[in-house]
Amino acid sequence: MFWRMVRGTLFRQRNKMVMIAFTVALGVSLATAMMNVMLGVGDKVNKELKTYGANITVMHKDASILDDLYGIHGEDVSEKFLLEEEIPKVKQIFWGFNIVDFAPYLERNIEVSGFPDKVKIYGTWFHHHLLMPTGEELDTGIRNLKNWWEVKGEWLQEEDENAVMLGSLLAGKYNYKVGDTLEVKGKNGLRKLQIKGIFNSGGEDDSSIYANLKTVQDLFELKGKVSLLEVSALTTPDNDLAKKAAQDPNSLTISEYETWYCTAYVSSISYQLQEALTDSVAKPNRQVAESEGTILNKTELLMLLICILSSFASALGISNLITASVIERSQEIGLIKAIGGTNTRIILLILTEIVLSGIFGGIFGYGAGIGFTQIIGKTVFSSYIEPAIIVIPIDIALVFAVTILGSIPAIRYLLALKPTEVLHGR
């Protein structure tokens, strides 16, 4: 009898039940999309934020001390170098897969014919193909690391050993154009380098010259030497543990150390880079790292708020629909009470009808939410977002919570309903 009554109600009031299912579907679809994006957005947002530049700088430990204490760098610490041959070790640390880009730099001051003063020249990788000892192949360099640069002409290629890129301030000051030639003086004499591109970085780099790493190494007879290494890594926002470890990793307990080391904090990745590279110090760029963490946290908070508000709106809409349905069936419910039906039995009947409608709506909403997730991923991040399994039980709990909470006003009305008044039309 119970299920016959449920089936009869679903059939007789199918329009209202469809509206309840549709309301649940809207809430669940939005919640599903937001939760999937929230759970899968970390790395994607981090990748978008890589336009801030590198978030870790690695240099020789002696050069780092001189830089920190006296601001001495570049040619003043000429004997303090990293080794180019060790650079592939960057991808072999515990969090190697989180290293998305890196580039070495050899910084020198060089004499240029026609320039009254020496200028900075940086040897680096522009688009360097690396074959790792593990057999993995990857392309890295400043073309990806500094992708916000505005370039007139072309980026340098690996084979461009007699070419440079000139900063826009130098080019403007001395009236150089793409295709012109610079005559520079290295340790082995004069050398002519063609300007293949002029870049605008919006910073101090605009007053410098960039060339391939091998070119600068040859000019100053510093084969295999590197001044510093810039690393761009996907990181987890810092918490109290990360801040404590950044002060002194030795102050951590064994459990805290294992948690910190196995979490992609910028401090733990920096620590692992120091372990991998001989006599090195890795310093996080706190401004970049903290900006990434702040933006990521605010993005996730925004999505969580949207999820909560959509669920609340669904519950409110369901409440109105259920209350209207119960009022419309008040005589039927009054009759059930008059022949001995208990409040518990009637409430169970109403909840069963609503929950069944909600389940159908939830199934449809979950499917629609997965679709919205992929639309958001493709539109915002240009890639698909893999659905998280954990969202399914959350959606199930959400369906039950929304339908039951939305039923509370109707249940209160049922409890106050008196059969004699209803059946006599009052």
Side-chain angles (χ1 to χ4, degrees):
M1 178 62 73
F2 179 84
W3 290 107
R4 186 182 299 173
M5 293 176 68
V6 170
R7 189 165 56 250
T9 301
L10 292 175
F11 178 77
R12 291 195 310 273
Q13 293 197 319
R14 56 183 175 275
N15 290 336
K16 282 189 174 61
M17 295 304 166
V18 168
M19 286 302 298
I20 290 172
F22 182 70
T23 304
V24 171
L26 285 178
V28 170
S29 63
L30 188 55
T32 299
M34 291 299 100
M35 285 189 289
N36 274 309
V37 172
M38 184 174 67
L39 292 171
V41 76
D43 288 351
K44 296 183 184 298
V45 169
N46 256 317
K47 287 178 182 177
E48 294 294 322
L49 293 174
K50 289 304 108 181
T51 54
Y52 281 122
N55 51 5
I56 300 173
T57 301
V58 188
M59 61 178 63
H60 191 279
K61 62 182 180 181
D62 293 341
S64 175
I65 293 172
L66 292 173
D67 190 22
D68 290 341
L69 293 179
Y70 307 108
I72 299 174
H73 55 87
E75 207 157 334
D76 297 320
V77 288
S78 58
E79 302 305 318
K80 313 302 179 182
F81 297 106
L82 300 176
L83 301 177
E84 183 183 0
E85 64 186 22
E86 290 191 348
I87 293 176
K89 292 181 180 180
V90 167
K91 289 290 287 182
Q92 296 173 5
I93 64 172
F94 182 84
W95 285 108
F97 285 109
N98 280 49
I99 306 295
V100 292
D101 274 307
F102 53 92
Y105 298 87
L106 179 58
E107 178 187 350
R108 302 280 92 184
N109 295 316
I110 195 166
E111 293 182 17
V112 182
S113 299
F115 289 19
D117 302 310
K118 288 185 176 182
V119 298
K120 290 285 185 186
I121 185 169
Y122 293 92
T124 187
W125 293 344
F126 288 86
H127 188 74
H128 187 73
H129 185 76
L130 270 180
L131 178 61
M132 308 295 292
T134 59
E136 178 187 0
E137 296 185 30
L138 60 94
D139 294 311
T140 187
I142 67 168
R143 186 165 183 173
N144 293 327
L145 200 60
K146 300 181 183 292
N147 56 14
W148 69 90
W149 279 13
E150 297 176 1
V151 176
K152 292 181 180 178
E154 299 178 17
W155 288 89
L156 294 191
Q157 302 298 322
E158 196 74 11
E159 63 272 12
D160 292 325
E161 295 186 8
N162 292 305
V164 295
M165 294 183 71
L166 193 63
S168 57
L169 291 181
L170 279 181
K173 184 176 180 179
Y174 297 105
N175 197 29
Y176 277 96
K177 297 180 177 60
V178 175
D180 291 347
T181 300
L182 292 178
E183 188 174 62
V184 300
K185 184 179 181 181
K187 283 194 173 183
N188 48 8
L190 295 175
R191 183 170 174 179
K192 291 185 178 182
L193 302 173
Q194 186 181 33
I195 300 172
K196 192 172 182 180
I198 295 174
F199 63 87
N200 179 13
S201 69
E204 295 180 356
D205 287 333
D206 292 336
S207 297
S208 59
I209 301 169
Y210 272 74
N212 272 308
L213 180 60
K214 188 176 185 306
T215 300
V216 179
Q217 287 173 339
D218 291 343
L219 283 170
F220 293 91
E221 298 179 352
L222 293 171
K223 184 177 180 181
K225 306 295 185 182
V226 172
S227 302
L228 60 90
L229 181 67
E230 284 190 345
V231 179
S232 181
L234 302 177
T235 59
T236 298
D238 281 356
N239 56 13
D240 292 338
L241 175 62
K243 292 174 183 176
K244 180 181 177 181
Q247 296 296 323
D248 182 13
N250 294 323
S251 66
L252 302 178
T253 65
I254 294 176
S255 177
E256 287 176 333
Y257 180 85
E258 289 177 351
T259 301
W260 168 72
Y261 195 89
C262 297
T263 306
Y265 299 121
V266 67
S267 56
S268 63
I269 294 177
S270 298
Y271 184 79
Q272 291 166 30
L273 289 171
Q274 290 177 187
E275 291 180 319
L277 302 175
T278 304
D279 294 333
S280 66
V281 171
K283 299 188 292 186
N285 185 332
R286 287 291 173 189
Q287 185 176 2
V288 173
E290 290 175 6
S291 296
E292 292 174 353
T294 299
I295 293 172
L296 183 58
N297 286 335
K298 288 183 177 180
T299 301
E300 291 180 345
L301 178 60
L302 175 62
M303 292 178 182
L304 182 61
L305 288 175
I306 292 173
C307 181
I308 293 172
L309 290 175
S310 68
S311 301
F312 179 77
S314 294
L316 190 61
I318 289 171
S319 175
N320 292 331
L321 288 168
I322 297 173
T323 302
S325 174
V326 169
I327 291 174
E328 185 179 316
R329 298 169 57 195
S330 57
Q331 286 189 335
E332 175 190 340
I333 295 168
L335 180 60
I336 295 173
K337 279 193 172 188
I339 61 176
T342 62
N343 284 332
T344 303
R345 186 79 170 175
I346 295 170
I347 290 170
L348 183 60
L349 175 66
I350 298 298
L351 287 178
T352 302
E353 297 165 358
I354 304 308
V355 168
L356 285 175
S357 299
I359 290 173
F360 284 114
I363 293 171
F364 179 79
Y366 177 77
I370 294 299
F372 292 150
T373 300
Q374 303 314 323
I375 291 173
I376 293 171
K378 197 65 178 174
T379 303
V380 179
F381 304 108
S382 299
S383 64
Y384 293 109
I385 297 174
E386 187 174 345
I389 299 298
I390 188 64
V391 172
I392 296 176
I394 294 175
D395 278 346
I396 293 172
L398 187 64
V399 168
F400 281 93
V402 166
T403 52
I404 292 172
L405 288 175
S407 302
I408 290 176
I411 291 172
R412 293 181 62 189
Y413 174 82
L414 281 174
L415 295 174
L417 189 146
K418 296 180 180 179
T420 53
E421 294 180 357
V422 174
L423 293 174
H424 283 83
R426 284 182 284 175

